[in-house]
Amino acid sequence: MPGFQGLTVPAWIGEGLDGGLASVCLYGANLDTPAQLGDLAARLRELSPSALLTLDEEGGDVTRLHYLTGSPQPGNAVLGRIDDVAATAASAQLIAAELQALGLNYDLAPSADVNSSPQNPVIGTRSFGAEPELVARHTVAWVEGLQAAGVAGCVKHFPGHGDTTADSHLAMPRIDTDRATLDARELVPFRAAIQAGVATVMTSHILVPALDPSGPATFSRAILTELLRGELGFEGVIVTDALDMKGASGEVGIPEAAVRALIAGADLLCLGSETSPELYREVLDAVAAAVAEGRLSLERLRDAAERTSRLAAAYPAAVPGSAGSVPGPERIAEAFRRGAAVPAWLANPAPVAVVQLENEANMAAGFVPWGAGAAGVPLSTPAEVPAGAKVALVARGLDAAHPAWALAAEFEGAGHPVLVIECGWPHDERADLVTFGASRAVGEALALALQLPVAAPAGAVGGGGSAG
């Protein structure tokens, strides 16, 4: 499952599909306009009517279809807070309809991680919550909504990425907990999704010594074959998280990472957004060499090929179906209005200034418009805030060192009423309002709840994000 750079299908992808390439993954860097994306997807489907054409469309903060404007879906953490499984299924159905309209038949979603660590730098609002049973029931609802509408789903990041404080895009995280805790927490949503018939499971590039102290889950036969296949009884496709991530290939390189993943039990290799024709050939050569050396059996390769072939046959490109009702801005805004500090801030008749602080983008999400800005709310720099205005200070990742706290104190010292808004997973209790997401849909609800002015959204172009 390679990605590629550019807005049109490169020749080497066409040659690969003609030669039996199982899957192609699209990223934000492949998108310029909706019409261009439609042409790109149509060309891929023309080259291979049976391939698995995929992307990361989680809804919420991680979006590829709406990379230029932000997602119209609220996202997992918001859905988990609402706790209406019918709404969660409807959100997935709407995403499936969009994918089907483009001829895409596989979605690398949802995240089934229990976000037990508030300091998690890469999961956070991509999780339905911090309680295993809640995450399990919403994971099942999302999977069933997506797959009933004709698109294969993917629960990730097995065996669970929620209790980490490192980002596997940049390093190899480690979960130091015992097997009993893993059984009672991390594995609960995956068990439920497998019982509900999820089509695929994505591996994580994390070290879990209680299961295998020798290497990350993506390379672990104990985790993929013995636990996932054996104990949990999963019969579908095991797909790797992107092998260009440091947690997988930082020490061994992508070709060797591909070989190790196949040996461990993976069936489909996600190579990453910047796959070149040279790298693609290097991966094929490394797999062939591993077979010649006896490290990798032909039986294992045939097993992987047969599983991916069955998956593609089970989810052919289809016509969009009907979907239920996803929570609209007004329903989400109801929860925002319940913030303890919100009524007094709203009652203040002072004019409003909205300051949104940018921070380093999440590697999985990329540079997607977010928060109030994505909803078209006019934003001010701190220096542009007029005297006497009340300030909505919007940020995400508000840890103790975040500059928002000093800025809020500066505004308050100058006599401005300030509402500090966390558009992510809360790191502490100081924020006045927590939205548990930053998608365009959440930004629209925020604007509605706080009576913020709205102009036409500016959008943004560029970036790419990474699978997983």
Side-chain angles (χ1 to χ4, degrees), residues 159-373:
H161 208 316
D163 191 28
T164 59
T165 56
D167 185 345
S168 52
H169 294 85
L170 305 173
M172 188 191 299
R174 178 185 177 107
I175 294 182
D176 286 308
T177 191
D178 56 37
R179 175 61 194 267
T181 301
L182 293 170
D183 283 335
R185 188 177 64 191
E186 273 76 11
L187 296 181
V188 170
F190 291 99
R191 283 198 192 93
I194 290 167
Q195 291 171 3
V198 69
T200 76
V201 173
M202 178 179 282
T203 70
S204 63
H205 310 320
I206 60 175
L207 186 64
V208 189
L211 299 176
D212 187 346
S214 64
T218 299
F219 301 161
S220 171
R221 181 174 176 80
I223 293 175
L224 301 189
T225 300
E226 296 173 15
L227 174 59
L228 182 54
R229 290 272 187 235
E231 292 186 40
L232 302 187
F234 180 60
E235 293 294 333
V237 166
I238 299 175
V239 58
T240 71
D241 205 343
L243 294 176
D244 62 351
M245 295 163 62
K246 296 299 183 184
S249 58
E251 295 184 1
V252 300
I254 295 173
E256 174 61 17
V259 170
R260 294 187 184 190
L262 287 169
I263 293 171
D267 305 302
L268 191 56
L269 304 172
C270 180
L271 301 183
S273 62
E274 298 184 2
T275 310
S276 64
E278 293 78 17
L279 174 60
Y280 179 61
R281 173 53 57 187
E282 288 172 6
V283 171
L284 296 181
D285 289 345
V287 171
V291 172
E293 295 163 2
R295 295 176 62 204
L296 175 63
S297 70
L298 281 174
E299 181 182 8
R300 172 77 270 276
L301 282 184
R302 290 192 184 101
D303 174 56
E306 288 169 2
R307 289 182 191 275
T308 55
S309 179
R310 288 196 299 268
L311 174 63
Y315 291 92
V319 177
S322 61
S325 177
V326 70
E330 178 57 45
R331 184 173 178 186
I332 301 171
E334 289 176 9
F336 296 168
R337 294 189 188 103
R338 290 195 290 269
V342 171
W345 189 89
L346 282 173
N348 191 308
V352 177
V354 182
V355 176
Q356 182 165 299
L357 299 183
E358 294 296 332
N359 60 347
E360 185 176 348
N362 180 297
M363 288 288 289
F367 297 93
V368 178
W370 65 279

Side-chain angles (χ1 to χ4, degrees), residues 91-131:
S91 183
Q93 287 175 327
L94 288 169
I95 288 172
E98 289 188 290
L99 297 180
Q100 288 179 327
L102 291 166
L104 308 179
N105 55 344
Y106 182 26
D107 190 5
L108 300 176
S111 169
D113 304 296
V114 179
N115 199 64
S116 54
S117 172
Q119 309 304 319
N120 196 313
V122 70
I123 303 301
T125 60
R126 302 168 68 193
S127 168
F128 290 109
E131 197 277 311

